[in-house]
Amino acid sequence: MNTTGYLAIKEHIFSNLKKVAGVLPAGKIEEEVNNIKGLITAITYEMFAKVIAVESLEELNDEDWARMVRELETHFDVKMETGILIQGDEQQDRDNNWWTSIEKQKNIKRYWERYKNHIASFLPADVVRAIDIDTDIVMNNIENPTIPNFSRYGMVVGHVQSGKTGNYSGLVCKAADSGYKFIVVIAGGMNNLRNQTQERLNESFVGQSNGVQVGVGKGDNDKSATPFSLTTVLRDFNMHDADRASQGINFETISVPVLMVIKKNTSTLKSVISWLEKQYKNKVADHAMLVIDDESDYASVNTKDEEDPTAINNGIRKLLSLFSRSAYVAYTATPYANIFIDHEAENESVGKDLFPKDFIYALDAPTNYFGARKIFLDTQGQHIIEVSDFEDTLPSGHKKDLEVHDIPPSMKQAMLVFLLNIAVRALRGQGSAHNSMLVHATRFTAVHQEIAAVITESLEEIQADVTAYGKLPNGTSQSINIQNLAEVYHDSFNRTEFSWKEVIDKLTDLIGTVVVREVHQKTAVPLVYRKDVPTNAIVVGGTSLARGYTLEGLSVSYFIRNTVFYDTLMQMGRWFGYRSGYEDLCKIYMPYSKVADFAEIILNTEELLQDFKVMADNNMTPDKFGLAIRQNPNSALQITARNKQKNVREFTYSMQLDGKAKETSVLSSKAQEIEGNIDAVKALINKLPSQFENVNSHFLWRDISPAEILAFLNSFVTFQNDPLGLTARMPISFVIKFVQERNVNWDVVLYSGQGESYPINSQVSIKKEKRKIITKADGNFELQNRQVSSGNAEAVSLDDAERKRVGTNRVDARQVMARPLLMLHIIEPNPEIAGHNALAAFGASFPGDASTDNETITLKINTVYYNNLLQEVEADKESDD
C-alpha cells in the first residue's frame, strides 16, 4: 500500500467530515468515503492528486477503503456522556448557576473559545461538547470570583489517563474568563510530570512557550491578553526567576491571569507562599485564586494528626489561606485516599483541611477510551499475556541489592512484539507517531538500572542482526533474533494486513531509532518526546511514571510490580488512555494475580460509581459519599492497610452490607474442609421446606428463617483468621453479625450449571457449575477472576418482569430484592482436583443501595494477623524509585 497516498486521501475526507456541524449522522462516514471513491473513479487518481495538491496517488484496493472507513469511525463515532454531581449541604443553597445563567452569556470567553476551537481540530464533536458541559458544572460550583469572601473545596474524579488534563485546562480557561486572577496548578511530585503539565497548559491556555506560539496561540496576533506564566516547561517556580520575570509588573493591577504550574514539593510550596507574601503585605482581598491539585490523592492528604499536618498538606492549606477568595479543586482517578480526610478538620494557622465538602463531580469517559473494563473484562483477554517465568531473575520479594544478569523469556518476547509494533504502525501510516514500551518490574532505582542495562544489551544484539540481515532473502536463517521476530509475527499478528517481508523491511529501516530510557530518581538521560522526530523508547521505571505521566504511543507493557493499594495499582496502569489506530496492537504482560486484582478493582469501582449515582439522585452530600466508601466491604483492604501505616494494633471497623454482595471466591484446599463444606450445603438443603421454585433450572426457597442461615454460616469453613475477608473475599464475621442483628428472613438459591449431574437428596438434583480453578501459592484454590456467580445470579429471586428488566445488572437487582439472598454453588473444578469431584462455595447478596439508611455492622478488629498480611505496605515504603 502507498502510505503517503492513503493518508492524503484520508486527510481530505477527514477535513470534509469536520465541516459537518455537530455529531455526524449514522452512515455519513461511509457515504463520504464512497463519494470520494466514486469521484476518483470518474476523474482518475492522477487528476484527484491535483485536486488535493499532492504529487501522486497510487490506486487503493477495497481493503484499503474499508480500513479507511474503520479508522475514521474510531475518531468520529465517539460518544461521551456528561458527569454526575453531588453537593454539600451549604453548596446546595448557594447560587449554582452564576456561570451558566449569567456570566457565560455576557462574557467574551476569550480563553475558552480559543481552547474549544483548538481541541475541536482533533477531538470528536461529542467529546468537545461534554468537556464544555462538564467544566460549566464545575464552574457553577467554584463560586463567582467577584464575591467578596469565599473558600470552596471540590473534587473531580475521572478515569486513569482519560483526559483529566484536558478537562482542567478547560476549567482554567473559563476561570480566567470569569475573573480568577491567580491560577496555581499543582502537578505531580516528579519533574517529568510537572514539565509535561506545563507544556500542555502552554498549548491549551498560555498560547506560547519561550516566545514561540503554540497550541491556542498559533495565529493569535493579540498579545495583550496572553496569560502571564511564572513557570516554564523546564523550570519550576523559584523566587529569583519570578522576581526577574515580573519586574515592572504591579500584581495589584495586572489585567491578565497569572499561571503557576508547580511540583508537589514542600520547598516549592514554601517558595510560592513566601513570594506571594512579599507581593501582598496583607491577605489578598481583590484577586481570586483557583488551585487545581492534580493527582490529589498523592501527597496532598494529611496522614498525621491535625495538630501537626504533613508538610505538603500544610503548604496547600497555607497557600489557600493567603486569599480571601479561593477555590480548591482536586483532580484524581482514585479518590480512596481523599475520602479519609476528616471533613471537619481545621487548624488555626493553616485553615480547613482539603476534604471536598462543597462538591464532587464524577466524569464519564468517551467510548473510545482504552480503559480497565475494555482491557481486563470485555475483550476476552486479547490484550493480556499472563507471565510466570520471572521469579528466577526478578523474584517478587527482591531487595535493592538484587543483581540482574538476565531478563525473563516473556520480557524478551514483549520486546520483540514492541519492535514489530513500531514497523506495523509505520506501515499503517503512523510513522510520525511516538512508540513506547513500559517495563515496571521493581520499586528500586538500582534494580531499574540493572534491568535497563540487560535490556540495552539484548536490544543492541537485535539491532545489529536486523541491520545486517533484515533485508536479505534468507535473513531468518542468518540470525536467531530475526527468526524469533518472524515467529512472534506469525503467532501474534494479523498476517493478512502486511507480509513478513514488508514488516521486516520497515523494521530494518527503523530499528536504529529504538532506545532504552530510564525514568527514576537518578535518571541520567531523560525521556523526551520531541515535536520534530518520533521517539521509539523502551522505558524502564516505576513510581516516577505512576502518577499522571503519559507515555506517548504506549503499546506494550511489562508489569510485575506488587502493591496492596487499589489506588496505587490503578495509577501504575499507564496503558489506559487512547490508542486510536493501534488499539489492536496493545499488549500487557503481567502475572495472573495482577490480572485478577485489576478485574476486581474494576468491578468494585463500577459499583462505587453506581453508589455515586444513587447518592446524586437522593441529594446526598460528599461527606456521606466518603462514609459510604469507608464502610464499603470492598474498601476493607485499603482501610486496614492505612491503619497499619499508623501502627494501630486494634481498631473498630464498620461495614455497610446493604446493597452489596460478597462471595467465597477463595476456597480451602484441605480435604477435610472441602468435604465439610459440601456437607454444610447438603445439611442446609435438607432442612429447607419441601416446597421450592424452579427458576431456569435453579432451586429457590423463599422466606427462610435466619436461624437456618446462621447455622449454615457457622458450619461452612472460610478463612477464620480473616474477619474482613481480605484473603477469602468473604467478610464472614460481618455477615454472621448481620444475620444476628437484623433478624430478617432470607431467600436461598442452589444454582444448577452445565457440568455433571449431582444429587443433593431425593428431591433436589442439580448439574455442577463448571469453573476454572487457580491454585494459589499457599495451595488454596481461587476461582478464575475471583467470581463465583454469573451476571444474572442475583436476579433469581425477583419476579419474571423484574428479572427481565434488571438483566445482568447486579446493583439494580439488589435495589429491588425483598430479602437477603444466600447463593449456594456446587463447583466442578477445572482442572480436576485429585480425590474431589466437587467444591462448595457460597455468596450473600443484600438488598438496598447507597441511600439505604440502616445501621452498619461493626466489629473490633485485632490487627496482629494483618501485620503479616500487609507486609507489602511496609515494603512499599522501602521504594526509592
Side-chain angles (χ1 to χ4, degrees), residues 194-245:
R194 193 219 69 86
N195 298 350
Q196 190 177 70
T197 304
Q198 178 80 54
E199 184 175 23
R200 291 180 177 178
L201 282 163
N202 284 352
E203 293 176 348
S204 61
F205 176 53
V206 180
Q208 65 92 22
S209 183
N210 294 325
V212 178
Q213 288 184 331
V214 296
V216 297
K218 288 183 178 179
D220 187 352
N221 296 320
D222 182 6
K223 304 290 178 61
S224 63
T226 299
F228 186 71
S229 181
L230 288 169
T231 51
T232 69
V233 171
L234 297 178
R235 294 181 70 84
D236 195 356
F237 182 90
N238 70 74
M239 294 181 67
H240 178 72
D241 285 353
D243 285 339
R244 186 174 55 192

Side-chain angles (χ1 to χ4, degrees), residues 642-802:
R642 285 181 169 85
N643 275 289
K644 164 70 176 176
Q645 288 177 304
K646 293 183 180 181
N647 298 313
V648 175
R649 288 284 175 178
E650 187 176 78
F651 67 101
T652 300
Y653 186 86
S654 294
M655 188 178 289
Q656 180 61 269
L657 290 171
D658 298 284
K660 302 294 181 282
K662 298 300 289 182
E663 299 178 317
T664 55
S665 58
V666 180
L667 302 170
S668 173
S669 59
K670 296 176 183 175
Q672 184 177 351
E673 293 178 0
I674 290 174
E675 295 303 323
N677 287 341
I678 292 281
D679 291 342
V681 172
K682 289 180 177 180
L684 174 60
I685 300 301
N686 288 333
K687 287 192 289 185
L688 296 179
S690 57
Q691 295 79 30
F692 53 77
E693 297 174 35
N694 201 287
V695 182
N696 298 329
S697 300
H698 311 311
F699 292 82
L700 175 67
W701 292 264
R702 296 188 187 274
D703 225 11
I704 303 304
S705 159
E708 304 293 0
I709 307 301
L710 191 60
F712 167 77
L713 294 175
N714 283 324
S715 61
F716 193 105
V717 179
T718 61
F719 293 87
Q720 294 298 324
N721 59 349
D722 181 18
L724 287 171
L726 304 194
T727 53
R729 311 298 177 201
M730 168 57 74
I732 188 67
S733 301
F734 288 85
V735 176
I736 288 172
K737 195 169 185 188
F738 178 99
V739 178
Q740 293 170 332
E741 290 186 352
R742 295 291 175 88
N743 197 31
V744 296
N745 284 359
W746 286 57
D747 293 338
V748 177
V749 59
L750 174 66
Y751 295 99
S752 187
Q754 303 295 319
E756 295 178 351
S757 294
Y758 192 87
I760 301 293
N761 57 32
S762 59
Q763 284 188 298
V764 178
S765 182
I766 59 167
K767 289 186 176 181
K768 291 182 288 186
E769 299 176 82
K770 293 182 177 181
R771 294 287 187 273
K772 187 172 181 181
I773 301 293
I774 309 296
T775 301
K776 291 164 57 71
D778 61 8
N780 290 305
F781 305 130
E782 179 172 292
L783 277 73
Q784 187 175 37
N785 295 330
R786 299 175 187 155
Q787 284 187 284
V788 180
S789 57
S790 62
N792 59 1
E794 292 171 76
V796 69
S797 66
L798 307 181
D799 61 40
D800 290 343
E802 285 284 23

